[in-house]
Every structure is written in structure tokens, then in C-alpha cells.
Amino acid sequence: MIKSSLEKGSVYDLRSALALLERYPDELITTDVEADPSAEISGVYRYIGARGTVMRPTKLGPAMIFNKVKGFRDVRVLIGLLASRQRVARLLGAPVDKLGFLLKDSVNNPIPPVVISADKAVCQEVVHRATDKDFDIRTLLPAPTNTEEDAGPYFTMGMCYASDPDTGESDVTIHRLCVQSADEISMYFVPGRHLDQFRMKAEAKGEALPISISIGVDPAIEIGACFEPPTTPLGFDELQVAGSLRDQAVELVDCVSVRARAIANAEIVIEGELIPNYRVREDQNTHTGKAMPEFPGYTGEAKQEVPVIKVKAVTHRRNPILQTVIGPSEEHVNMAGIPTEASILQMVDKAMPGRLLNVYAHPSGGGKYLAVMQFKKASLNDEGRQRQAALLAFAAFGELKHVILVDEDVDIFDTDDVLWAMQTRYQGDVSTVFIPGVRCHPLDPSQTPDFNPLLQDTGISCKTIFDCTVPFKLKEHFTRSQFKEVDVKRFVPDYQP
């Protein structure tokens, strides 16, 4: 079992996470130059550290805090907190190559959240109610736009928390939240999300669904919130994962204006209700036809009808930090990808223990579309089981599109090594498995009948296994050149592997 190496209680909110990063010379930078939240913040960070599927030039780099935001006096903006796997490893206290195992073990050992009193909840140090004469979420919080053609300002790192109106079971997820007016925010749901199930149950009764949106929290919560079924089924509160990661329960507090709970040490909380039978066009204020950049690297289309949150209050810490993310950046890769790795590891290990050595949700797929799986064949009886493992991966994570299978001597985190395996251990006509006609993720623009006439509907894909493993009977003919093991530090004292 993988456990975090961080001292218990050393990271418990956003500010303690930032304090941890400040110990390292290359993980966090700040600027006092005023930045416009309208496209400029993302425009800057695109060069500094976005990477992922962002249009080149871009690179991996430090997280960045903008201390001065145009039009807002007391709110800072943080971007890129989780935009490198190394930074995530430091924030969670685990080796880079063991993060999937850490997340898997955390799901299996959940710690439920607890509720604390309002006087102990720093997220309610300052309270703004919608009944206040000058209440306007657009002037309270600097919601950024990623590009100049976005449908509007978006909150992109809000931990949306609501409860099933029938069972009381709660769920936390991250959604596309577009500011529509002084007290309305539209909310886009990818089909099948648990909060949408709660919303539909409430709507069927003609009732509003109370909801909180916590922004600027412990990064363990942001990672845990990205688990999906079947690993975390309906009724599983993903805040339990964060509790396990930190070995202490996440603290919640009752909202001040709605019957919901929020993360008590969040920087900012937006409280509101999803209104039944009320929809708006996502780009009603800009008419661009576009929503915002999404993880595949393309700008998503504005939806014609999306549900709406009627905001009832905004609470925050003094001098709060608003956290945001570039949709196609490496930050999305890590938030979505590491839980994906954990889900695949869990599913395959149950079926064939010890054979799947590791998984990497590759950045080129935004952490969702492509998984590189390292499989060990111990005997001739294991031949073909690597493909079974790939099928299990597709079952564990329905949005997965491609799997690349490699042997234990290939570094799955080194793309050059993976591509080497494809060049020397793969023959297209016998090493490729096509699984046509399977529902995948709706944001892949190639999943249309216009692109592939064999597809019956948009959102259906041909899933593919690229088997770059050596047939077991030929293994001795594919041994890599073996170099002498030496103490490199004798020759280069500063050498770091």
C-alpha cells in the first residue's frame, strides 16, 4: 500500500499547499504586474507552464500567482497549481510513478468528511448576500476567460458539491461554469455526471437543487474530485478520497444561504440553487458560438440550453485567492489522468494480480483518451492477457479511446521509449485491435459521421489497442542492450537520475 510521505496536517488547504511549493526554487512564481482576467492571464500562462494539449509554443513550468488583477483590488488569481506531475507528487507526498497507486489505495481506504461550526470556517470570514443592494458576482470575483472568443467569464476550478434529494448522499465534481449575469451562472454537464442525476431528480419534483462551489482548496480534493464510475459509483462522496490522502477528514461547513455544505477552508465559496426547468444559451452574452478551450486542445461549442445556478451568496477568506485552470493544460491532464490510472490499476489488478505493473494517462489525450499500460508476461499462458487488460481498462474508464501496451522494460513515462517499442515491437496488421461503435467522450471532434461515415452518431468512436508487447515465445530475441552498472556520482557528483 502506498502512503503519503508528507507529515500529517502539513497540507490541509490551498495556502499550506502554496507554502510547501515555496520550499522549492522552481515550483511557484508571482507577479505584481496588473493582469486583465479577460484572456490575458491565460495568455501569459500559456507560455510559462500550461503545456498539455495547448497550442505550441508552450512548456511545463511553475504555478503562477497574479497579485494584481485589473478591476479587482483584494483578489489574487492562481493558475497552474497542478500543471506538472512532479508538482502533484510533491503536493501529495508520493513518487511521480506511484501516484496512480496512491490514488487507488485512497479510494479503497476512504475517510468521510466532517462538519464544523461556522465560527471555525475561514471560508466565511467575509459574506456577500444576493439580497445586498450592490451584489454582482461579476464585480466580486475575477472569473477569467481563457481566450477572446470564450462564451464569457468562467469559473474552471470550482468544487461543485450537492446532495441527492432522495438519499442525502453527496458528490463533488468539477464543471464548466459560465457567469451569465449578476446572480446567474450556467452549468454544463457531460452526460452521466452524478450531480446532473441529483439535479434531474430535484427537477422532476419541481424543486431547486442547493449547491455550493468551493474555489481554492487543498489540491488533494481537486484530484479526488475527478474520480468517475465505476471506481466511485453513485453515492460515493469523493471527498473521502481526499480524506484518505491526507489521513484526516475534509472539513465542511453549512452554507449561509442554502441547504448545502461547502469546503470550510476554501478561499471562495459560491452558494446557490440549480433552478428547475430553466435553461439559457451558454453564449447568450457574446454570441461567439464557442464555450471555452477544453482538454482535447480545441474550443468547445457553446451549448444551446444549459441549466442555471441562481446565486444566493458569495463567501470568502480575507484577501482570497481565486484558482483557475487553462482547459487544455497539463493541469487537466493530472487532475483527470491520475484518477484514470488508479481506476485502471484497480480494475485490472482484481482480474489478474501482479501483471499490470503501471499505467500512464498520457498528456496528448488530456489524461482521458490515451493510456500507456506496462504489462508483464510471466509465462506463455499470459500471452493474450495483455489485451484482456486493455479491454478491462476500457470498461474501467469509458472515455478512454486508445491503449498502448508495452513490456516491463519500457519506461511508460518516456514517450520516446514508448514510440521505440511501437517501432520495434509492433506490426500494424497483427498488433492492432479495433473495437468499433463504442460511446466515448463527446468533446473529441473526430467522433462524427462526417469524419468517419461508419459512425452512427456523434460521440461514438472506434476504440483501439496498440499491442507493442513482444510475443512471449520470442522474448529472448528482444532483449535490450545491457550496459554495465556504475556509480555515476564518482564521475559527476551532481548527477540526478
Side-chain angles (χ1 to χ4, degrees), residues 202-223:
E203 187 170 78
K205 301 176 182 181
E207 299 174 356
L209 181 72
I211 187 169
S212 70
I213 303 164
S214 300
I215 302 172
V217 299
D218 179 355
I221 295 173
E222 295 163 352
I223 294 285

Side-chain angles (χ1 to χ4, degrees), residues 83-89 96 99-100 334 338 341 359-360 413:
S84 90
R85 195 177 179 98
Q86 176 64 66
R87 193 149 59 246
V88 173
V96 167
L99 288 171
N334 293 317
I338 298 170
E341 295 164 13
V359 183
Y360 182 34
F413 299 100

Side-chain angles (χ1 to χ4, degrees), residues 170-197:
S170 300
D171 192 86
V172 61
T173 45
I174 302 172
H175 296 273
R176 199 163 85 195
L177 303 168
C178 186
V179 179
Q180 297 292 347
S181 67
D183 64 350
E184 291 186 352
I185 298 172
S186 64
M187 188 172 187
Y188 168 62
F189 292 97
V190 172
R193 292 295 187 261
H194 291 169
L195 286 194
D196 199 25
Q197 301 296 312

